[in-house]
Amino acid sequence: QKEVEQDPGPLSVPEGAIVSLNCTYSNSAFQYFMWYRQYSRKGPELLMYTYSSGNKEDGRFTAQVDKSSKYISLFIRDSQPSDSATYLCAMSFTSGTYKYIFGTGTRLKVLA
Amino acid sequence: SQTIHQWPATLVQPVGSPLSLECTVEGTSNPNLYWYRQAAGRGLQLLFYSVGIGQISSEVPQNLSASRPQDRQFILSSKKLLLSDSGFYLCAWDRDRGRIDYTFGSGTRLTVV
């Protein structure tokens, strides 16, 4: 079993839709949960991160962590064609670790 | 502001040829530096990381090596490329161990033929 599982997609939605992207994980010791956005042929860029359980909101983006279910989500409201990218989740045990465990990424297409 | 440079953007190399990919960071000192490989359907795999000049930690036994000859320079090398070395190679840096602030370069697409 992989430490982090993520549906590869592609996920196609119409412009303005609410998008839900998810990851599951197996190691309950993970404490930091990150979401990265990666445009084609570019490096990933950090969107947001959460520590432990709970929600975090930043503009149209909301990150949710459910440690009891070992499940994290990224919600995108009012999705735009510019949101079309691959979204990767990542996890680490502490903020001081050098090792992030990444999901394989979900390709999102927002259709105009 | 800090920037990270990675080159070349794309590379096609024959099997058995050597490899040298370079990454440099500007605008900071003593960064932690990382090399990742991203293969289709497999996510980002950490290959090497370095916390200082000459200090290299290898995460995965493989055909590759890394060096850090200067504070802000990180080099990924191979003496003889294999077909399985094909992939998207990403350099990243961060500075403070207490923060989540990985910054990735734009990557090198390597195709071994």
Side-chain angles (χ1 to χ4, degrees), chain A residues 2 32 34 36 38 41-46 49 86 88 92 94-105, chain B residues 32 34 36 38 41-44 46 49 51 59 88 90 94 96-102 104-107 109:
Chain A
K2 288 184 181 178
Y32 288 85
M34 287 72 76
Y36 283 82
Q38 185 176 21
R41 300 181 183 277
K42 299 292 184 184
E45 55 178 336
L46 179 66
Y49 74 90
T86 296
L88 299 106
S92 68
T94 71
S95 62
T97 185
Y98 301 114
K99 303 180 187 181
Y100 292 8
I101 310 299
F102 283 86
T104 54
Chain B
N32 302 316
Y34 308 83
Y36 278 86
Q38 187 176 33
R42 295 186 63 185
L44 282 164
L46 179 62
Y49 69 90
V51 301
E59 289 297 303
F88 191 48
L90 288 155
D94 69 3
D96 297 325
R97 293 184 67 184
R99 295 172 54 190
I100 304 291
D101 63 353
Y102 256 34
F104 285 89
S106 54
R109 174 77 57 190

